[in-house]
Amino acid sequence: MCQTDNAASAPNDLVAVDSRPVTRPSNPYQPVGDYLSNVGRFKIIESTLREGEQFANAYFDTETKIKIAKALDDFGVDYIELTSPAASEQSRLDCEAICKLGLKAKILTHVRCDMRDAKLAVETGVDGLDIVIGTSSFLREHSHGKDMAYITKTALEVIEFVKSKGLEVRFSSEDSFRSDLVDLLSLYSAVDKAGVNRVGIADTVGCASPRQVYDLVRTLRGVVSCDIETHFHNDTGCAIANAFCALEAGATHVDTSVLGIGERNGITPLGGLLARMLVTSPDYVKSKYKLHLIKEIEDLVAEAVEVNTPFNNPITGFCAFTHKAGIHAKAILNNPSTYEILNPEDFGLTRYVHFASRLTGWNAVKTRVGQLGLVMTDDQVKEVTAKIKALADVRPIAIDDADSIIRSFHLTLQNGHDGQTNGAAPAVTA
């Protein structure tokens, strides 16, 4: 895996590259100005302790929940969402325990649009309730069996109750993208007039495309005056893109979970979203979140749910900042921004050049020669590079294999120099 700057050793076939000051060009990825866009002023509702509990492997005891909550709070998330206290007695006790921690982040709990759940939740000490009910024909017929008139009436009653307790309240439809648009907008208009802090749209089955998300959020933005929260499942691989498009269209809040864990394939991952947003709004993201903590948080959650961090995970995947092809390595050694849109230093990580392969270039090998404390001419480096490639064509090689070739080649040159009595000596030193 990618190592932090103070790591004892690099992966066994990679070489850490010393960072050099880099003047990165002005951001060409800044979106076109749009007064509705919130890509530079969004808020995160971190749902690892709610949506994440629905991940197949998840079992968070109270101690683990508290560790995760504290880590997320230290990282800088705006809200931490917890499992409904109506789910179980331990869920209620855990909710109360986390509310007593005195965290900077606001604590929310996710409850059904049901007065019994709401009354139980307000007694736990949370800062707000996230109320939800299914609105698609699928869920109205096969889940709760209620019509839109009942949904609207019940929503308004629960919202009024929560507001009377002085708490934040969000109302969200479930399965928003398979709901009737007229029904959806009528419902949102009603709860907006009732004074909710946020309305939520949820791609509950991960069916939405970025264009669909943009269109719905943009339309909704013209109907409600309150904030808009978004929740995207990743069944079709669009969760990060959908969250970004929602912010572009005027959404204000995004639900995330660490490593994206959740029901089925999970939701928008915290690290992946911030990788996307760092490219677009670097000053905002760096000022708001402690990015160097992301690996520590992901390791904590990965261990708790007994999974490995995916190799291609944004930021923390073991090869996220690893460069292998010779052309890439040469450019990276000259200026890392040539093949990196993210700077590993922003996350407390290190980039590596993978030079022990048949794809390596002599510039990468030259860097390794210097790291080994040896000196060779460019022609000599090119010759030893050819030897490394020759072995790598026969079998996979590790960094020790490549180092052995370099040292043996250098020793041969040095011995030739020691035995030479006439003529120019090869330009090598130890």
Side-chain angles (χ1 to χ4, degrees):
M1 299 179 69
C2 291
Q3 303 292 313
T4 56
D5 287 332
N6 60 358
S9 62
N12 63 4
D13 58 350
L14 308 175
V15 174
V17 179
D18 292 335
S19 298
R20 65 179 70 183
V22 176
T23 302
R24 294 182 181 264
S26 58
N27 187 1
Y29 304 99
Q30 186 69 33
V32 176
D34 184 335
Y35 75 97
L36 288 180
S37 174
N38 287 310
V39 295
R41 52 181 182 267
F42 60 92
K43 293 184 178 180
I44 289 177
I45 297 176
E46 226 302 316
S47 191
T48 299
L49 296 178
R50 197 282 294 178
E51 178 71 49
E53 269 213 292
Q54 295 173 221
F55 177 60
N57 274 17
Y59 174 79
F60 300 141
D61 59 23
T62 305
E63 180 182 2
T64 301
K65 286 185 179 181
I66 288 174
K67 285 181 181 178
I68 293 172
K70 287 181 175 179
L72 292 170
D73 186 58
D74 191 23
F75 181 76
V77 301
D78 303 274
Y79 296 85
I80 296 173
E81 185 181 58
L82 307 179
T83 295
S84 170
S88 72
E89 176 61 12
Q90 190 59 51
S91 295
R92 184 184 68 80
L93 294 173
D94 290 344
C95 193
E96 292 179 348
I98 292 173
C99 287
K100 292 175 181 177
L101 294 176
L103 303 179
K104 299 183 293 294
K106 291 184 177 181
I107 307 301
L108 308 173
T109 187
H110 183 87
V111 299
R112 296 172 297 183
C113 187
D114 183 286
M115 191 64 77
R116 293 166 298 179
D117 286 13
K119 288 181 177 180
L120 183 62
V122 299
E123 298 300 324
T124 61
V126 294
D127 297 299
L129 271 63
D130 289 342
I131 301 166
V132 65
I133 190 168
T135 52
S136 71
S137 60
F138 296 96
L139 298 184
R140 283 158 50 194
E141 180 180 353
H142 301 291
S143 178
H144 55 70
K146 310 300 182 184
D147 61 18
M148 290 303 299
Y150 175 91
I151 290 171
T152 302
K153 178 178 179 292
T154 305
L156 294 177
E157 291 173 352
V158 174
I159 289 165
E160 181 181 4
F161 169 74
V162 176
K163 284 172 59 65
S164 73
K165 300 297 182 179
L167 301 182
E168 280 194 23
V169 56
R170 177 221 72 188
F171 177 83
S172 179
S173 61
E174 189 181 18
D175 204 9
S176 309
F177 289 87
R178 296 193 298 173
S179 299
D180 179 83
L181 182 60
V182 174
D183 287 344
L184 207 57
L185 296 181
S186 297
L187 176 60
Y188 284 137
S189 178
V191 300
D192 180 44
K193 291 174 182 176
V196 294
N197 297 88
R198 299 181 305 283
V199 293
I201 61 172
D203 184 16
T204 306
V205 297
C207 64
S209 70
R211 179 61 180 268
Q212 290 173 308
V213 169
Y214 187 93
D215 288 346
L216 179 55
V217 174
R218 196 72 160 191
T219 301
L220 181 58
R221 183 72 283 170
V223 172
V224 300
S225 58
C226 62
D227 287 340
I228 299 175
E229 179 183 336
T230 57
H231 182 91
F232 297 107
H233 278 261
N234 203 37
D235 299 70
T236 58
C238 292
I240 296 173
N242 283 346
F244 181 77
C245 283
L247 293 174
E248 284 191 310
T252 54
H253 296 63
V254 176
D255 294 0
T256 68
S257 68
V258 177
L259 293 175
I261 63 171
E263 194 79 32
R264 304 184 314 280
N265 282 359
I267 64 170
T268 308
L270 175 64
L273 177 67
L274 288 177
R276 173 62 262 175
M277 302 316 299
L278 180 60
V279 172
T280 304
S281 304
D283 293 339
Y284 178 78
V285 172
K286 289 179 183 179
S287 67
K288 191 171 176 62
Y289 303 105
K290 297 180 182 178
L291 298 178
H292 65 282
L293 297 179
I294 191 66
K295 185 177 188 301
E296 178 182 328
I297 294 171
E298 290 188 350
D299 287 348
L300 171 65
V301 173
E303 181 178 1
V305 299
E306 300 181 332
V307 299
N308 295 320
T309 301
F311 76 92
N312 59 347
N313 200 53
I315 303 171
T316 58
F318 84 88
C319 53
F321 298 106
T322 298
H323 304 273
K324 183 174 179 179
I327 295 174
H328 286 237
K330 177 184 178 181
I332 281 290
L333 292 168
N334 288 329
N335 185 334
S337 66
T338 51
Y339 283 101
E340 285 179 357
I341 196 60
L342 299 172
N343 184 351
E345 288 185 345
D346 289 339
F347 309 98
L349 302 173
T350 301
R351 73 179 52 85
Y352 294 104
V353 170
H354 185 307
F355 78 100
S357 83
R358 60 188 175 195
L359 302 182
T360 194
W362 71 272
N363 287 280
V365 176
K366 181 178 180 179
T367 298
R368 183 57 176 168
V369 168
Q371 290 176 336
L372 293 174
L374 309 175
V375 177
M376 296 183 193
T377 66
D378 286 352
D379 285 342
Q380 290 165 348
V381 172
K382 291 175 182 177
E383 188 175 347
V384 76
T385 299
K387 294 180 179 293
I388 293 172
K389 285 174 171 284
L391 181 59
D393 264 342
V394 176
R395 63 172 175 83
I397 63 174
I399 191 172
D400 289 343
D401 297 315
D403 283 353
S404 178
I405 293 171
I406 293 170
R407 292 182 186 280
S408 296
F409 183 77
H410 179 268
L411 182 61
T412 299
L413 294 174
Q414 191 174 45
N415 289 339
H417 173 256
D418 292 341
Q420 188 170 359
T421 56
N422 298 305
V428 294
T429 61

